């Protein structure tokens, strides 16, 4: 069984269309935009004919930055950093599906991710950590060498389906101003023929998701 952590954002939705996982998991861990992420992920999975599940684990008391409605940490390279988020998401996905024959957990990390848990050293380490444990699960990031625009083009995801994606960091409806919304708008504009410049840190994926 191959599982994808599907946040409902552009990146994870494109990976869903490209990789066709056996199951998609969206986690409500107490982040402010959780309901928007769940609605978008459910819509994407439904349109692609993929199984979709939601796990709810309230970790809101442990979050930092706009996702938690708190001040950002000085440790972070970007304000939406939530401590050890991808590590937590991978663990929860493994816990949920290992008894069903889980073999792989896919993360939505891309080349322009600024957070440590979206970069190669973390991805290699968490893969080894999960593989050492019962079930021998692998952790992969199929798009980690691609930018958001390259991923969308590689995936073949329909443009109409991209309109259902959601990337806000602060609300269950798109605010249009946060880093996630800006990245979303700029990527869609470039797909539709806007300026083809290199992705910048301001456009970096905020989820595994994205």
């Amino acid at each position: 069984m191959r599982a994808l952590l599907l946040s409902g954002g552009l990146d994870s939705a494109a990976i869903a269309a490209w990789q066709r996982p056996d199951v998609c998991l969206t986690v409500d861990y107490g982040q402010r935009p959780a309901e928007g992420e769940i609605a978008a992920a459910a819509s994407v999975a439904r349109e692609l004919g993929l199984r979709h599940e939601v796990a709810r684990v309230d970790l809101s008391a442990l979050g930092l930055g706009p996702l938690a409605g708190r001040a950002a940490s000085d440790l972070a390279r970007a304000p939406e950093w939530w401590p050890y988020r991808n590590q937590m998401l991978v663990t929860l996905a493994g816990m949920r599906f290992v008894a069903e024959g889980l073999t792989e957990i896919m993360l939505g990390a891309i080349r322009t991710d600024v957070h440590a848990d979206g970069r190669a050293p973390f991805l290699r380490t968490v893969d080894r950590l999960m593989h050492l444990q019962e079930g021998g699960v692998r952790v992969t990031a199929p798009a980690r060498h691609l930018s958001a625009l390259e991923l969308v083009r590689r995936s073949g995801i329909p443009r109409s389906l991209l309109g259902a994606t959601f990337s806000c960091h602060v609300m269950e409806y798109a605010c249009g101003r946060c880093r996630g919304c800006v990245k979303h708008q700029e990527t869609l504009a470039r797909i539709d023929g806007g300026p083809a410049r290199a992705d910048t840190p301001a456009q970096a994926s905020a989820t595994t998701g994205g």
Side-chain angles (χ1 to χ4, degrees):
M1 170 190 281
R2 301 166 71 233
L4 169 67
L5 288 160
L6 179 63
S7 70
L10 284 170
D11 302 336
S12 61
I15 291 173
W18 176 27
Q19 295 292 317
R20 309 292 303 186
D22 299 297
V23 62
C24 300
L25 179 68
T26 308
V27 181
D28 174 358
Y29 49 91
Q31 72 275 35
R32 295 170 72 193
E35 293 307 318
E37 293 180 7
I38 291 167
S43 179
V44 167
R46 182 171 58 251
E47 290 299 316
L48 293 174
L50 300 174
R51 174 184 167 192
H52 177 242
E53 291 195 12
V54 176
R56 298 184 186 271
V57 182
D58 186 3
L59 301 176
S60 56
L62 305 179
L64 296 172
L67 284 165
R70 295 190 178 89
S73 169
D74 292 339
L75 294 172
R77 296 192 63 184
E80 73 279 352
W81 181 69
W82 184 296
Y84 312 110
R85 178 174 49 188
N86 279 353
Q87 185 174 334
M88 172 264 293
L89 294 173
V90 165
T91 300
L92 292 174
M95 292 170 70
R96 170 61 189 89
F97 297 117
V98 69
E100 295 186 23
L102 180 67
T103 57
E104 179 182 355
I105 299 169
M106 288 180 278
L107 286 165
I110 61 174
R111 186 178 69 222
T112 49
D113 278 352
V114 299
H115 302 297
D117 63 1
R119 294 182 167 185
F122 171 83
L123 296 169
R124 288 193 299 266
T125 302
V126 76
D127 171 54
R128 184 168 182 268
L129 177 64
M130 292 294 288
H131 192 63
L132 284 171
Q133 298 176 75
E134 290 81 358
V137 177
R138 307 307 320 214
V139 177
T140 65
R144 77 176 180 88
H145 296 298
L146 303 174
S147 70
L149 186 60
E150 290 167 344
L151 168 57
V152 168
R153 289 173 172 166
R154 174 78 62 86
S155 73
I157 187 171
R159 174 61 178 81
S160 58
L161 188 53
L162 289 177
T165 59
F166 174 85
S167 301
C168 189
H169 294 158
V170 298
M171 300 174 63
E172 63 180 288
Y173 304 101
C175 73
R177 298 181 301 275
C178 70
R179 282 166 42 88
C181 285
V182 169
K183 174 201 167 183
H184 190 274
Q185 294 162 359
E186 292 185 355
T187 302
L188 291 181
R190 293 164 68 198
I191 292 167
D192 292 335
R197 62 185 181 277
D199 286 315
T200 67
Q203 297 169 271
S205 177
T207 72
T208 83

